[in-house]
Amino acid sequence: TIYFATGESRAVLEKSPHLEAFRAKGYEVLYLTDPVDELLTDQLAEYDGKKLQSVGKGEVELGTETEKLAAEEARKEKQKANASLLERIQSVLDADVKEVRVSSRLTTSAACLVGDEDDMSPRLERLLKATQGAPEMPRQKRILEVNADHAILQKMKSRFEASAEDPTLADYAHLLYGQALLAEGSPLPDPAGFAGMVADLMVRAG
């Protein structure tokens, strides 16, 4: 498999949370920053007999077969252990994401947004919407992947177990979504609202 990442610049891609598992395993990933790359990779399924796979789509399965099985088993256990919290996050972000699941991509970041295998990348979606004369496209929902071992998720789980209706959980869910958008170089739907939530949580933390 040839893994690739598309984005606005090399600087953005190098810091992408989508690459954390690949970096940890020592996998090489192509950085594609030209706008035409979005169209090319959307149509080109393979090269020289090797499948082209976006690091921002589908499930991540890296390593030997034994490592893949162990990683997937561990992911499923975390998914089950956090099922109720993930449902709560999904209920808050239902207008923005189609699924919330435990990630096998993330090692240090709290969250990232990914697409299904056949979804457009967020950059391609923006390019097509900006094209003059292009038909109106419905908004594409994506998948929010979370790192169940991250301190933010651990704190959310503690709050959820104390009170499933804790209003702070909704703020955390929106902040996770906003962080995931910013990390991939996508615009925030409500920058002022996001800034307000960050400021409010900073005051509460103090």
Side-chain angles (χ1 to χ4, degrees):
T1 302
I2 299 173
Y3 293 103
F4 68 88
T6 60
E8 301 291 339
S9 68
R10 181 184 180 92
V12 169
L13 291 176
E14 285 179 338
K15 297 174 183 177
S16 171
H18 295 124
L19 297 176
E20 291 175 1
F22 294 86
R23 189 176 290 115
K25 289 285 187 182
Y27 278 61
E28 292 185 342
V29 176
L30 292 176
Y31 294 164
L32 305 177
T33 58
D34 196 297
V36 75
D37 293 330
E38 298 286 353
L39 299 171
L40 176 68
T41 54
D42 193 54
Q43 299 298 320
L44 188 64
E46 64 176 54
Y47 176 76
D48 197 26
K50 293 182 175 63
K51 177 186 176 183
L52 267 71
Q53 174 66 46
S54 169
V55 298
K57 292 183 182 181
E59 300 276 3
V60 168
E61 296 181 342
L62 305 177
T64 64
E65 288 303 315
T66 301
E67 289 173 332
K68 289 177 184 178
L69 288 172
E72 179 57 17
E73 187 62 32
R75 193 197 71 79
K76 286 180 178 179
E77 288 179 5
K78 291 175 184 177
Q79 181 80 21
K80 184 177 180 180
N82 292 277
S84 296
L85 173 61
L86 298 180
E87 288 175 7
R88 177 77 168 94
I89 297 172
Q90 174 71 60
S91 70
V92 173
L93 300 176
D94 197 52
D96 300 303
V97 302
K98 57 185 174 184
E99 182 185 350
V100 180
R101 69 188 183 201
V102 170
S103 181
S104 52
R105 285 176 174 79
L106 301 172
T107 59
T108 57
S109 297
C112 69
L113 286 163
V114 303
D116 284 324
E117 292 287 354
D118 297 326
D119 286 351
M120 287 186 290
S121 71
R123 191 182 183 206
L124 178 57
E125 185 180 15
R126 292 196 298 273
L127 288 171
L128 292 177
K129 285 183 177 179
T131 301
Q132 191 172 10
E136 189 70 23
M137 293 189 302
R139 184 182 174 200
Q140 180 179 243
K141 287 187 180 182
R142 293 161 69 212
I143 300 162
L144 180 69
E145 288 194 349
V146 297
N147 180 354
D149 297 324
H150 196 279
I152 292 176
L153 270 298
Q154 294 293 319
K155 185 169 186 178
M156 290 181 73
K157 187 175 182 181
S158 295
R159 283 184 170 273
F160 180 80
E161 290 172 346
S163 172
E165 299 306 316
D166 185 337
T168 306
L169 290 169
D171 290 341
Y172 274 109
H174 284 296
L175 287 172
L176 282 176
Y177 179 65
Q179 287 179 343
L181 286 172
L182 291 172
E184 70 180 19
S186 293
L188 293 170
D190 181 12
F194 182 82
M197 279 190 289
V198 171
D200 187 48
L201 284 173
M202 288 174 71
V203 169
R204 279 188 254 169

